Amino acid sequence: MSNFKEICTVPTDFGVTFTKLKSDKTGLTVMLADIEAPLVNGYFTLATESFDDFGCPHTLEHLVFLGSDQYPYKGVLDMLANRAIAQGTNAWTDVDHTCYTITTAGSKGFLNLLPIYIDHILYPTLTESGYYTEVHHINGEGEDAGVVYSEMQGCQNLGDDRLHLRMKRIMYPKTCGYRSETGGLMERLRELSVEKIRNYHQSYYRPDNLCLIITGKVDKNELLKALEPVEESIIEKGPLPEMQRPWINTGNFPNLEKNIEETVLFADEDESMGTILFAWNGPMSNEFLKQKELDVLNIYLTDSPVSVLQKKFVEIEDALCTDVEFHITNHLKSTLMFTASSVPIEEIEIFPTKFFDTLQRLVDTNDIDMTRMATVIEKERLKLLDSAETDAHDTAADVAIFDFLYGSPDGKDLKESVKDQDYLDILAKYTASDWLNILKKWYLDAPHITLFGKPSAEFADQQTEEETNRIEKQRTDLGDKKLEELQKYLENAKAKNEVSIPNEIIEDFKIPSASTIQFINVITARNNDTTLSNEVQEHVNKDADADVPLFIQFDHVKSHFIKISAHISTSCIPARLLPYTRLFLKAIFSLPIEKNGKLIDYEEVVKGLGEDTVDYEASLGTSFGFKELVVFTLKAASFKFEKSIQWLQDILWKTQFTTERLKIVASQILNDIPQAKRDGHDMANAALRALQIDPKKSVFGAHNILFQDAFLQDVVKRLEEDPTSVLKDLNEYRSKLCAPENIRIHVTGDILGIKNPRTAFKNFAKIENGKQIAPVIIAKEALKPAGLEPGNYGLLITLPAIENTFSIHSVKGPSQFDDPDIAPLLVMIELLDAMEGIFWKLIRGQGLAYSCYLGANIESGLIHFTIYQSPDAFKAFEQAKKVIEQLAKHEMKIDPSSVDGAKSSVIYSLVAKENTMSRAALQSFVNQILKKMPASYNRDMLLAIQNVTVDDLQRVLSKYFVNMFKPDTSNVVVISAPSKIADIQKGFEGLGFEMKSTILNSITADSF
C-alpha cells in the first residue's frame, strides 16, 4: 500500500492533465503531467529562500552532484543518467527555488534513476574537498577559481545583471529573499564555507519541501513502486522538526511609496548605447485574472511593429531603442518590469518622460485599438495550443513549480491557475475603458523605479585595475610558501574528489533497450511524386485539378496548426549584394505590399499577419544547420492554410522596399551592435566565422554582425543621398533569391485534414519548363582556405566588457553525411563532453572553465572545441591537449562502461531531435531533402551508434581530435578580458600557435 494519497486531478486548456499526490508519511509531493511524447522529463523542485549574497542555493545546486549517502562518488549520478538513455542531469537556481532536472528517452531508465537522484538531493556528501574545487579556491598562482566562482565572474558585472540586482535592492526590503543574489556575489563567495552550505541544506533540503514534477508518459503505479525505497530511506532517518513554508510569510513585502531614479554603470569601451529598466509592484500570485490582464495588455503594448510602444520608440527613423519588453516575475507578490534595449546615450535621460507621456496619452484620448486587442486575445488562445505541441514539458513544469511554491496545498489554486481560456473569455468582453483603467492602475498611478544602465569605458578600466590590484595584493599577502600550500591543498582536494566508482555500481544499472523508445510517426508525401506510397501521398495525388510545377514536401503529423516554410537557395545572389542579407531578413515582414495596383501600408500588413498567423519568421537555415538557405516560415491555425500561402506569396514577391522603412530597420540593427559585442561567447563565434567563412560567396558569412557596422553606416548614408541605388540593390537581391527554381516548400501539419494540399499552391509560382531546381549550398562550399584547411590561424581579441575568457578551436572532420566515422565521432564527443565525462572531470572539475564542449558539423566538415567562461582559456586548452594525447597514446584507458553510457546519451540526443511533432517533421525534411539521406537516417544512426567499438573510438581520436591541439592543423580564436591577454598569448605561442592580437572593431570582411 503506497504512502501517497491523490490530492487532485486537474485537466487543462492546453491538453495536459495534472495529478497531484502527497506522501502522508514523509510529506514528499509528486506532480504528474501526462504528455504524449517520446521523452520523460523530471523537474525536482525545492523552495529555497536566502537573505544574503553568499549564494548557498546556487552552490548547493552544484555540490549535490558530487555524491550522496548511498552513492558517495563524484559523478556517479551523471554516469548512471547516461545509461538511462539521457544526457546527464542538469539544474537551475532561481531566486525562489532550485530545480534539478533529467530527461530520458522512455520511462524505464527514468524510474531506475529516480531513487538515486533523490538520494543525491536529500542526502549529498557535501565534502570540504568538493566545496574547494567546485565553489571557490585560490590556486598556486594566487588567482581565485572554482566552477561557481567562474560562472559568477562571467555574469556579475554584465550590464543586465547589474541593473537587475540594483532593482532588487531598491524594490525588496532586507527581510525579503527576493532581494538577494542567490548565485552568490564573488566577494561573498570568497568568504563562504562548506559549513554554511551544510546548514542551509539542513534547513531547506527536506522531503516535505521537495516536489517531484514528472512530465511525459509514466505509469503512476510504476512510479509509486519506484518511490517505495525512497520513502523507506527517508523514514529511517527519523522525524524532522516542523518547517515554516518558505516565502509565504516573507514574499509579501511593502509596496513602493515613491518614485526612485538611479544610474547604474557597467563596463564597456563603446559608450554609445545604454539600457533602461522600469519596475513597479504587481498583483499577488493567486490573482490569476489580474495576472492575465497584465499579460495581454503588455503584449498589446509591445508585441509587433504596430504596437503602441514599438511604433513610438522602435519603428521610427531616429529610434529611441531597438527593443521594448515587459516581464512579470512569478513571485508571491509579482514585480512588473519594462526594459528598453540599446537606447542612444544622448536620449537616455529623456526616455522616461516620453514613455510615461505615451501611456498617459492613451488614457487621455481613450486610445485602445479594440480590433487589435481582439487579435492579441485570439492569438493567446492559439499560443496555449501551440505550447502544448511545441513545449509541453516546460509549460507544464512552469505551472507545477508555481503551484508548489505559492499555491494552496489542497490544489484549489492549481485548478484556478490553468483556466487560461476562461480568463481570456472574460478579457474578450472588456471595453477600452477597462483596459485603460488597468494601464492607469499599474503603470501610471503606482510609484516606480527608473534605472539608467550606462556603459562606461572608465568603469571598465577601473574594474580591470581593481581586479588586477586585488589579485596582486592577494599574492603578496599570501606569500610563496602559502601559495605552494594552497596548490598542494587543491591537488589533494582533486584527488579526494576523484575516488573511483566501483564497476559493479555502473554495470548493475542496466541500460534500457532502445527498442522501447517510441518515435513520433511522420508520413511524407511530395508534389508530383511517383515513388512514395502511403495514405498521405494518395491524398495529395487525388488533389489533381491543376498543374503545380513546384517542389513541395508534405509531412503529416497530428497538429492543430499548419506550418509552411520556403527553403530558398542563395546560389544566384551576386557577391556584391550578399551584405544586404541581414537588412533584407529583418525588414521583409514589415514592409508595405502592392496588390492590384494599390499600396497597403506596412502597418496594415503587420496587423494582417497578426490576425492570420501564430508566428512568422525570415531566417538563415534551420535549427539543424543549412545556413546558406534563406527560410521564410509562417505558422497558422489549420483552417488558414490558403491564407498562409497567400501571405507567403505576398511577402516574397509583392513587398515594396521603401526608403523610410529601410532607414528605420538599418538603424535598429546598427543600434543593437554595441550590445551584441558585449557577449564574449557570441563574439568568439563571430570572429571564427569571419576567419573561416567567405562573405563573398556565403549569405551566412556576409550576415556576420562584425561586418555590418561599416556596411550599414554606408547604406544609411546612401538612403539619405541616393536612395534609388539601395532600393535597386534590394530589388535585385529579391529577384535573384526568389526565383521559383530556388524554392523548396515544406508543409507540416494535419495534411489529411486539408482538402486541397496541392492545388492551394496553383497560383503561388511556377518553375519554368527546362529549369532545374537549384542545388542546396552546403556550409563546406562557402568556406575560405582557412576553413577548408585549418591551421596556422590564431586570433586573440580583447573585450573590456567581460571579466573572463572564451575560446573556440576548429579542425577538419568528416564532411559526408553517410561517413562511417560519424557514429564513433559522436560517441567519442559524448565520452569527452558528458557530465562527469573526461573533460568534465579534468577541466570543469578542476575549476579551469565553467564548461567546455565539442561539436561535429558534418555540413562544413569541421569539428569545434569551445571553452566557455574560463579564468584562463589557455590553461583549459592545455589540459584538454594533455587529455587527448594521453588517450591517443593509450596512457589513459577508455572505460568500456563509460562507452556504454556515452552510446546511451547519443541515442537520447537522436531521439531529442524528434521530440515534438514539428521537430520530427523538420528532421524528415532535413534528412531527405537537405542531407539527401533516407527518412530513416536517425534510426539508422541509432543502430550504428550501438555497434561502435573501442577500436573505432581510438581511430577517430587519432584521425581528428589530436589535430585540434596542433598549430598547423587547427584554428583558434580567444576572446579575453584585458587583464588575461598577456598570459594567454604567451601560453599559446609557447605551443607554437601564431596569435594575432586585435579588437573586434578591426575585423572586416577583408581581414583574412
Side-chain angles (χ1 to χ4, degrees):
M1 176 96 177
S2 173
N3 299 335
F4 286 88
K5 302 295 179 279
E6 190 171 304
I7 293 170
C8 60
T9 300
V10 180
T12 70
D13 295 328
F14 48 89
V16 174
T17 297
F18 290 100
T19 304
K20 188 175 182 178
L21 307 126
K22 188 157 187 168
S23 168
D24 54 15
K25 293 283 174 63
T26 66
L28 188 62
T29 303
V30 173
M31 187 86 87
L32 262 177
D34 185 43
I35 294 170
E36 195 72 48
L39 302 182
V40 174
N41 285 40
Y43 305 81
F44 309 143
T45 306
L46 302 115
T48 46
E49 192 172 20
S50 178
F51 301 96
D52 56 44
D53 301 318
F54 284 100
C56 287
H58 183 208
T59 54
L60 258 176
E61 175 222 306
H62 284 248
L63 295 176
V64 151
F65 295 106
L66 303 192
S68 71
D69 265 13
Q70 294 179 42
Y71 299 86
Y73 308 99
K74 178 178 180 285
V76 67
L77 180 63
D78 282 310
M79 289 189 77
L80 296 179
N82 293 342
R83 296 175 72 86
I85 316 187
Q87 261 188 334
T89 56
N90 212 334
W92 74 72
T93 305
D94 207 332
V95 73
D96 56 2
H97 69 276
T98 305
C99 184
Y100 295 88
T101 61
I102 176 78
T103 305
T104 64
S107 64
K108 192 167 177 54
F110 181 93
L111 294 174
N112 290 345
L113 189 70
L114 184 59
I116 303 166
Y117 206 150
I118 297 171
D119 192 57
H120 277 73
I121 293 169
L122 292 178
Y123 310 113
T125 51
L126 301 182
T127 62
E128 179 74 45
S129 59
Y131 164 82
Y132 201 70
T133 58
E134 190 74 15
V135 178
H136 173 257
H137 60 263
I138 298 172
N139 62 26
E141 295 177 20
E143 299 163 331
D144 296 273
V147 178
V148 174
Y149 192 85
S150 292
E151 182 182 352
M152 296 314 296
Q153 188 179 45
C155 65
Q156 179 173 318
N157 284 312
L158 296 178
D160 286 349
D161 290 73
R162 288 179 61 81
L163 270 179
H164 282 95
L165 183 60
R166 187 60 202 143
M167 185 279 291
K168 293 197 290 185
R169 297 294 206 241
I170 298 168
M171 181 69 79
Y172 311 119
K174 290 181 180 177
T175 53
C176 177
Y178 296 140
R179 175 188 175 89
S180 67
E181 174 48 83
T182 47
L185 293 177
M186 287 185 285
E187 53 269 32
R188 296 285 84 81
L189 288 169
R190 295 195 288 264
E191 300 167 354
L192 186 58
S193 69
V194 72
E195 197 54 48
K196 189 171 179 68
I197 297 170
R198 287 172 186 152
N199 291 338
Y200 188 87
H201 182 274
Q202 192 174 11
S203 299
Y204 289 94
Y205 278 56
R206 305 161 40 121
D208 53 356
N209 188 38
L210 174 61
C211 181
L212 307 176
I213 298 160
I214 299 164
T215 65
K217 295 306 285 184
V218 179
D219 183 272
K220 186 172 84 172
N221 292 327
E222 287 182 16
L223 170 63
L224 295 178
K225 187 168 179 58
L227 288 172
E228 284 175 7
V230 173
E231 288 279 288
E232 287 169 18
S233 171
I234 293 168
I235 292 164
E236 279 174 15
K237 303 279 183 186
L240 292 167
E242 277 225 20
M243 178 188 190
Q244 185 181 54
R245 189 178 177 191
W247 298 110
I248 300 306
N249 293 323
T250 59
N252 187 1
F253 47 88
N255 283 343
L256 285 169
E257 294 179 354
K258 61 179 181 178
N259 294 341
I260 296 171
E261 186 174 288
E262 288 189 13
T263 295
V264 177
L265 299 179
F266 59 90
D268 197 349
E269 60 190 352
D270 186 333
E271 297 181 335
S272 62
M273 297 288 161
T275 303
I276 286 184
L277 176 68
F278 299 125
W280 304 258
N281 297 118
M284 299 299 291
S285 62
N286 59 358
E287 294 181 304
F288 299 112
L289 180 59
K290 288 182 181 176
Q291 299 265 2
K292 186 58 73 176
E293 288 172 349
L294 283 162
D295 277 338
V296 170
L297 178 62
N298 292 347
I299 291 165
Y300 170 83
L301 291 170
T302 61
D303 77 320
S304 83
V306 297
S307 62
V308 176
L309 296 175
Q310 281 212 42
K311 273 176 72 174
K312 180 68 179 175
F313 298 111
V314 180
E315 298 294 330
I316 55 175
E317 257 190 58
D318 295 317
L320 294 177
C321 60
T322 61
D323 194 23
V324 287
E325 182 183 26
F326 281 100
H327 174 68
I328 307 175
T329 62
N330 288 328
H331 296 160
L332 185 69
K333 179 197 279 185
S334 63
T335 296
L336 314 176
M337 287 184 274
F338 172 86
T339 306
S341 304
S342 298
V343 182
I345 212 73
E346 61 274 12
E347 306 283 354
I348 202 164
E349 300 286 348
I350 61 167
F351 188 98
T353 302
K354 291 191 175 184
F355 174 82
F356 288 105
D357 283 353
T358 301
L359 298 187
Q360 187 63 51
R361 183 189 57 77
L362 298 180
V363 174
D364 294 343
T365 58
N366 201 35
D367 184 9
I368 292 284
D369 180 344
M370 293 303 289
T371 304
R372 207 175 77 78
M373 183 63 84
T375 299
V376 168
I377 291 170
E378 183 55 34
K379 207 162 181 177
E380 284 303 287
R381 295 185 202 280
L382 292 172
K383 281 181 181 175
L384 284 171
L385 294 174
D386 189 41
S387 69
E389 292 186 12
T390 59
D391 197 22
H393 294 279
D394 285 346
T395 301
D398 287 345
V399 170
I401 290 169
F402 187 68
D403 181 70
F404 173 64
L405 294 177
Y406 303 118
S408 55
D410 60 3
K412 177 177 169 293
D413 284 341
L414 176 62
K415 292 171 187 171
E416 295 301 312
S417 73
V418 295
K419 291 182 177 177
D420 297 84
Q421 295 287 14
D422 291 352
Y423 299 136
L424 291 171
D425 288 343
I426 294 168
L427 299 188
K429 295 170 184 165
Y430 278 22
T431 63
S433 295
D434 293 327
W435 288 113
L436 292 167
N437 286 336
I438 295 163
L439 175 69
K440 196 166 180 297
K441 175 183 176 179
W442 295 105
Y443 294 132
L444 287 171
D445 293 348
H448 63 271
I449 296 166
T450 301
L451 295 179
F452 301 105
K454 295 184 179 180
S456 167
E458 186 181 343
F459 184 76
D461 292 341
Q462 180 188 331
Q463 193 173 278
T464 301
E465 186 181 347
E466 284 177 1
E467 180 64 2
T468 303
N469 291 343
R470 187 189 66 77
I471 295 289
E472 283 303 321
K473 183 176 185 304
Q474 185 164 271
R475 284 180 182 136
T476 305
D477 291 350
L478 289 168
D480 291 346
K481 188 178 178 190
K482 183 63 178 174
L483 287 173
E484 202 175 307
E485 287 173 14
L486 287 170
Q487 187 61 32
K488 280 181 186 169
Y489 192 85
L490 176 60
E491 300 304 329
N492 289 337
K494 289 175 186 175
K496 284 179 185 174
N497 292 340
E498 299 302 336
V499 175
S500 296
I501 302 168
N503 278 339
E504 57 269 22
I505 289 179
I506 305 299
E507 288 162 8
D508 287 351
F509 191 97
K510 300 301 178 196
I511 298 175
S513 169
S515 64
T516 63
I517 300 166
Q518 298 295 311
F519 284 88
I520 291 170
N521 188 31
V522 178
I523 307 172
T524 296
R526 289 193 197 100
N527 181 36
N528 303 329
D529 191 292
T530 56
T531 62
L532 294 169
S533 177
N534 57 58
E535 60 178 329
V536 180
Q537 188 66 55
E538 285 174 22
H539 178 63
V540 169
N541 290 347
K542 281 177 188 171
D543 180 25
D545 291 345
D547 181 33
V548 183
L550 284 171
F551 180 94
I552 311 171
Q553 175 162 312
F554 301 91
D555 277 314
H556 174 78
V557 290
K558 183 180 165 187
S559 177
H560 293 93
F561 301 94
I562 204 80
K563 187 171 169 183
I564 305 171
S565 297
H567 296 74
I568 309 181
S569 171
T570 58
S571 57
C572 296
I573 300 175
R576 66 183 177 79
L577 298 179
L578 289 175
Y580 282 103
T581 300
R582 188 179 283 268
L583 179 62
F584 177 86
L585 294 177
K586 189 167 173 66
I588 196 70
F589 275 105
S590 59
L591 295 172
I593 284 175
E594 189 175 307
K595 289 188 80 166
N596 306 319
K598 182 186 167 193
L599 193 67
I600 302 166
D601 184 73
Y602 95 92
E603 290 189 20
E604 292 305 311
V605 172
V606 172
K607 282 181 185 174
L609 282 163
E611 289 167 10
D612 291 332
T613 69
V614 178
D615 198 14
Y616 55 87
E617 182 185 24
S619 63
L620 290 183
T622 75
S623 51
F624 301 112
F626 296 93
K627 302 293 185 187
E628 296 304 323
L629 292 172
V630 168
V631 183
F632 291 83
T633 302
L634 293 101
K635 186 175 191 177
S638 293
F639 69 89
K640 292 197 172 178
F641 175 55
E642 292 191 38
K643 269 197 171 179
S644 299
I645 295 171
Q646 184 62 58
W647 272 118
L648 182 59
Q649 183 182 35
D650 289 347
I651 295 297
L652 289 180
W653 290 292
K654 296 178 183 176
T655 41
Q656 300 298 303
F657 296 106
T658 67
T659 303
E660 181 192 6
R661 289 301 301 153
L662 292 172
K663 275 186 193 173
I664 289 167
V665 175
S667 296
Q668 287 171 2
I669 298 170
L670 282 166
N671 289 351
D672 267 336
I673 290 173
Q675 176 77 14
K677 287 184 176 179
R678 292 168 193 152
D679 188 306
H681 174 63
D682 286 356
M683 288 304 99
N685 270 305
L688 188 67
R689 289 199 302 274
L691 180 66
Q692 296 186 159
I693 302 175
D694 189 345
K696 302 289 195 299
K697 60 182 181 181
S698 161
V699 280
F700 188 44
H703 185 262
N704 196 324
I705 197 75
L706 295 178
F707 304 155
Q708 289 291 296
D709 201 346
F711 173 73
L712 289 175
Q713 296 277 12
D714 181 61
V715 166
V716 170
K717 187 179 175 190
R718 286 164 57 210
L719 284 167
E720 292 286 351
E721 298 171 359
D722 180 22
T724 311
S725 68
V726 177
L727 301 182
K728 183 169 175 268
D729 282 352
L730 279 163
N731 279 310
E732 184 183 353
Y733 184 107
R734 186 237 302 277
S735 72
K736 297 287 187 186
L737 175 72
C738 297
E741 62 271 16
N742 291 339
I743 302 173
R744 291 168 173 81
I745 292 171
H746 184 213
V747 182
T748 302
D750 180 7
I751 308 300
L752 294 173
I754 298 171
K755 185 181 172 186
N756 56 339
R758 183 176 171 277
T759 57
F761 286 94
K762 66 184 178 185
N763 297 319
F764 181 77
K766 289 180 170 58
I767 297 175
E768 293 175 19
N769 282 338
K771 286 203 172 179
Q772 296 295 312
I773 193 154
V776 173
I777 302 175
I778 61 167
K780 187 173 181 180
E781 294 168 35
L783 294 177
K784 294 179 181 179
L788 290 168
E789 293 292 337
N792 301 312
Y793 290 94
L795 290 179
L796 180 55
I797 300 165
T798 307
L799 189 61
I802 62 174
E803 288 193 79
N804 47 19
T805 69
F806 300 81
S807 71
I808 303 181
H809 312 259
S810 66
V811 71
K812 277 181 84 168
S815 59
Q816 301 295 321
F817 292 108
D818 56 357
D819 192 310
D821 280 353
I822 293 174
L825 187 67
L826 294 178
V827 175
M828 191 66 230
I829 286 173
E830 188 59 38
L831 197 63
L832 292 164
D833 277 1
M835 292 182 182
E836 295 305 331
I838 297 168
F839 278 172
W840 183 280
K841 285 179 180 175
L842 297 176
I843 296 174
R844 177 183 162 113
Q846 298 196 19
L848 295 173
Y850 177 67
S851 69
C852 60
Y853 49 91
L854 288 147
N857 186 328
I858 309 304
E859 189 196 345
S860 66
L862 293 168
I863 301 168
H864 294 104
F865 175 49
T866 300
I867 294 168
Y868 184 85
Q869 282 188 357
S870 168
D872 183 330
F874 171 71
K875 288 179 181 172
F877 176 82
E878 187 179 38
Q879 178 75 335
K881 178 178 186 289
K882 193 184 302 180
V883 166
I884 294 298
E885 288 172 353
Q886 287 177 349
L887 284 165
K889 293 173 184 172
H890 301 271
E891 293 168 6
M892 185 188 294
K893 298 296 180 192
I894 295 175
D895 174 35
S897 62
S898 295
V899 174
D900 291 339
K903 288 181 183 180
S904 172
S905 282
V906 176
I907 289 168
Y908 161 82
S909 70
L910 292 172
V911 178
K913 284 181 178 179
E914 304 183 30
N915 67 331
T916 66
M917 303 290 176
S918 61
R919 282 172 68 84
L922 179 56
Q923 274 288 294
S924 168
F925 181 81
V926 167
N927 287 339
Q928 295 180 79
I929 305 306
L930 304 184
K931 292 183 178 178
K932 298 184 174 63
M933 291 288 117
S936 60
Y937 183 73
N938 285 0
R939 273 80 156 181
D940 297 341
M941 185 63 71
L942 194 147
L943 294 173
I945 297 296
Q946 291 171 313
N947 292 328
V948 168
T949 66
V950 173
D951 285 346
D952 293 331
L953 298 179
Q954 288 291 163
R955 184 183 80 252
V956 295
L957 254 175
S958 300
K959 187 172 179 181
Y960 304 111
F961 292 87
V962 170
N963 291 335
M964 185 74 77
F965 303 92
K966 294 177 179 176
D968 56 347
T969 50
S970 74
N971 296 332
V972 53
V973 170
V974 182
I975 300 269
S976 172
S979 60
K980 319 275 184 181
I981 287 286
D983 288 346
I984 290 172
Q985 178 137 15
K986 184 180 175 186
F988 276 105
E989 288 180 349
L991 292 179
F993 287 86
E994 290 180 28
M995 302 299 289
K996 179 187 174 186
S997 192
T998 188
I999 57 172
L1000 290 172
N1001 289 344
S1002 296
I1003 298 174
T1004 70
D1006 300 312
S1007 290
F1008 310 108

